[in-house]
Structures are given as C-alpha cells and as structure tokens.
Amino acid sequence: MFLSIDKAAEILKKGGIVAIPTETVYGLAGNAFNETAIAKIFAAKGRPYFDPLIVHIAEFSKFEDLVTEIPENAKLLAEKFWPGPLTLVLPKKEKVSNLITGGLSTVAVRMPKKQIARDIIKLAGPLAAPSANMFQRLSPTSVEHVVEQLGGKIDGIVDGGACEVGIESTVVGFENNMPVIYRPGAVTGEMIVECLGVGSWGVGSSKLSSPGLLKKHYCPSTPFFIGLPSEVPKNCGLLAFGELPVKSGEFAEVLNLSEKACSTEAAANLYGMLHKLDSCKLDKFFATLLPPAGLGNAINDRLIKASCR
Ligand code: TXA
Ligand code: MG
C-alpha cells in the first residue's frame, strides 16, 4: 500500500492511480494524458464527471503546454505564488482531455511546493489530482485519512506526513482580465490584488463556473452546525478558535483550531480536527466561524460547506 517515490512513478506511468502528499491536502493522482487513469480517479472517488480535476505540474514550461495562452496577470500570479497553493484556470489546449475539465473549455493547473509531489510529477507528470477523499467528504491531510476513505480502492499511497498548509489551493480564473476567485485558499484575495496592482477581485458566481462552488462539500458524517447552541445538548462536540466560549465545559469534546487565534495554524489543523470530531461518536458538533479576513475566509468557506446537509 505504501510506496516509494520511484515505485509510485512507475505505477503512474502505467496508468495506475496513487495518493500523493502535497502541501495543501493529499491528492489522488493519475497521468493527465491517460484517460483510463482519469476515469479510475472518478470511479474511486465516486465523483461525478461534471466536477473537473486540477492538473499538477513541476515546471512552468508544462503550463505553456496545457493552455492556449498565458495572460500577463496569470504570469504575475504564477511567478509570485508558484510553487504553492494556487491553481490557475485558463483556456485549455485541444490535447487536454475533456474528462479532466468536465467538458469545460478551460483547465485548472497548479504547481505544488511539497518536494515529494514535485519529485513524483517530474518523473511521471503532469498529474491530474483531485483531493484524495470520497466525493463530498472531508479532505485528507494525513495518510490515515486517505486509508480510511480510499484504502483498497487505489494502487497505493506515498506517505509524506502531515500537509503543512492543510486547506485546498486557491482556484483563480480571469474574467475580462480581472482575477476571479472560484475557491478561496491560502493565497488570499488581498494577496492577489496586491500582486496584480488591481483594485479588487471577483468571486465565482453561482452559475457553477467552478464546482468548488457546490454548496455541499467537505462533509463529516456526524451532523455539524455553525454557531453555538443556546443550550448545549448531551454528547456533542465543539470546534473552537482562539479563546474558548464560556459554555465550553458543557461539551463532551472540545478541539481548538488555534488557541492563539492564528488562522495559519487553524488551516493546518482544520481537516485533522474535523476528522477527529467525526470519529468521536458524538450526536452532533458545532463550530464558531473565524474573523472573515485573509485565510479566515477560506476556513469559513470550508466550515460552512461542511455544515450543509
Ligand atoms: O490543493 C488542491 O487544490 C488539491 C491538491 C491535491 O492539489 N486538489 C484539490 O482538487 O483540491 P479538487 O478536485 O478537490 O478540487 C478542484 C477544484 C474544484 O473546486 C473544481 O471545481 C475546480 O478546482 N476546478 C477544476 N477545473 C476547473 C475549471 N476548469 N474551471 C473552474 N474550476 C475548476
Ligand atoms: Mg476536493
């Protein structure tokens, strides 16, 4: 089940699918130019074909190979934030499979930072890789999370320890040359406008320009709610941030995303703590939102989607 980098690359080159670590979350990778491998990814995840995948690269020249044209603003963002937790959406070249893009004319591309991911991509890439979880379930930030959801359904896993960022990449496209955020992440809107010297950024509209906008996503199995209950029910949990609320003692289980109220630390802990609370056999659990700035927006986005039933 656990593979070396070389063995993983060998399996990928033959059309197999392997879970690999990145700095954001674990991805379920397959060779981007092998349609059988891509179909296996959708099947293993139970993911509908309309939800497109991200193609992962390790060199900028591969970006030019996948998209028809790279506008100046995309170049600036890639220069500043690659390798890293940023995905750029641009019009695709013919050779990029419609299976990857869900029939869209654009393709999402990311250059991850984690060295293991880069090594595997160099040997066997470009790699199409969604997060290595079942469709609409919690994203994996450790090998244990991957084994729990996909063990037995895939050709192996490369163990890279915990994911440092802990939350999926920011997905950015362009409309009339202006940046549009389809999914918030560690590269924040504020960082993007500063890099481009533009006044503001757009937010992907509900016309499903990106299925990352699907309301329900990233879900634990235990009923999960945003906000604090006026009366704390029996056997329920709390996912807190910063100073604990007065009533925290009444919860059966309390986890704190960051005692010192640091949103970077909270992002790194987010999925691990959601997985943990989900495994505690609680009747339900609650979370408080973070202050809505910077990375807080991305974390709140995942919390709200995880609470949609
Ligand atoms: O950090 C990440 O992005 C991780 C790691 C493994 O790289 N990957 C990841 O993949 O989160 P996935 O498949 O779980 O999410 C991909 C997101 C979805 O929200 C999808 O809708 C969006 O990217 N996406 C993919 N192709 C797109 C396109 N052509 N236009 C707009 N959004 C797209
Ligand atoms: Mg995902």
Side-chain angles (χ1 to χ4, degrees):
M1 176 58 84
F2 293 107
L3 306 170
S4 66
I5 290 174
D6 287 334
K7 185 71 191 164
E10 191 188 314
I11 294 175
L12 287 163
K13 279 194 248 175
K14 286 189 192 145
I17 55 171
V18 175
I20 63 165
T22 82
E23 73 279 15
T24 57
V25 300
Y26 275 74
L28 177 57
N31 185 285
F33 294 117
N34 184 325
E35 290 210 322
T36 311
I38 307 301
K40 283 186 203 165
I41 292 175
F42 281 96
K45 281 182 60 97
R47 176 164 169 142
Y49 282 105
F50 66 76
D51 197 354
L53 309 181
I54 295 172
V55 179
H56 296 69
I57 57 171
E59 292 133 317
F60 191 83
S61 60
K62 294 289 188 300
F63 191 28
E64 291 163 333
D65 207 33
L66 295 165
V67 302
T68 53
E69 189 191 354
I70 305 174
E72 191 54 30
N73 280 350
K75 253 183 221 153
L76 289 170
L77 291 178
E79 265 166 30
K80 173 95 183 164
F81 300 110
W82 278 359
L86 175 76
T87 295
L88 293 170
V89 174
L90 286 175
K92 76 177 188 79
K93 277 196 179 146
E94 185 85 31
K95 66 175 167 189
V96 177
S97 165
N98 283 317
L99 215 46
I100 290 182
T101 67
L104 296 174
S105 59
T106 51
V107 61
V109 184
R110 173 162 113 80
M111 189 190 289
K113 187 167 191 171
K114 197 166 180 96
Q115 195 58 46
I116 298 178
R118 294 174 63 74
D119 291 345
I120 298 171
I121 296 165
K122 275 189 193 143
L123 292 169
L127 298 176
S131 48
N133 53 279
M134 294 300 289
F135 180 58
Q136 291 185 326
R137 296 281 310 282
L138 288 175
S139 292
T141 49
S142 72
V143 279
E144 289 78 19
H145 299 159
V146 180
V147 172
E148 186 193 315
Q149 291 192 40
L150 293 173
K153 292 185 175 177
I154 60 180
D155 298 313
I157 304 174
V158 180
D159 187 352
C163 301
E164 297 78 6
V165 175
I167 191 165
E168 302 87 342
S169 63
T170 309
V171 180
V172 180
F174 302 90
E175 287 169 23
N176 302 320
N177 251 333
M178 294 298 282
V180 177
I181 297 184
Y182 295 131
R183 179 177 69 183
V187 175
T188 63
E190 291 87 345
M191 288 155 79
I192 290 169
V193 295
E194 194 193 324
C195 170
L196 299 181
V198 294
S200 65
W201 69 91
V203 177
S205 68
S206 59
K207 63 176 171 15
L208 212 75
S209 36
S210 174
L213 296 168
L214 283 174
K215 271 214 179 109
K216 179 179 157 154
H217 223 116
Y218 320 109
C219 276
S221 316
T222 313
F224 168 52
F225 303 90
I226 299 297
L228 289 176
S230 47
E231 263 178 57
V232 179
K234 268 206 312 220
N235 194 37
C236 72
L238 173 67
L239 184 63
F241 175 75
E243 201 179 322
L244 291 179
V246 186
K247 283 187 184 163
S248 61
E250 298 172 35
F251 288 86
E253 188 73 47
V254 179
L255 295 180
N256 199 336
L257 287 171
S258 169
E259 280 173 22
K260 54 180 194 276
C262 161
S263 58
T264 308
E265 183 182 35
N269 284 331
L270 179 68
Y271 286 120
M273 289 191 173
L274 284 170
H275 278 278
K276 175 87 201 307
L277 285 168
D278 204 18
S279 68
C280 284
K281 300 203 163 58
L282 298 163
D283 292 337
K284 53 179 94 168
F285 63 98
F286 299 83
T288 48
L289 293 177
L290 276 67
L295 197 45
N297 284 323
I299 296 169
N300 290 346
D301 169 73
R302 305 306 192 276
L303 287 172
I304 289 164
K305 283 174 181 153
S307 71
C308 273
R309 307 199 70 79

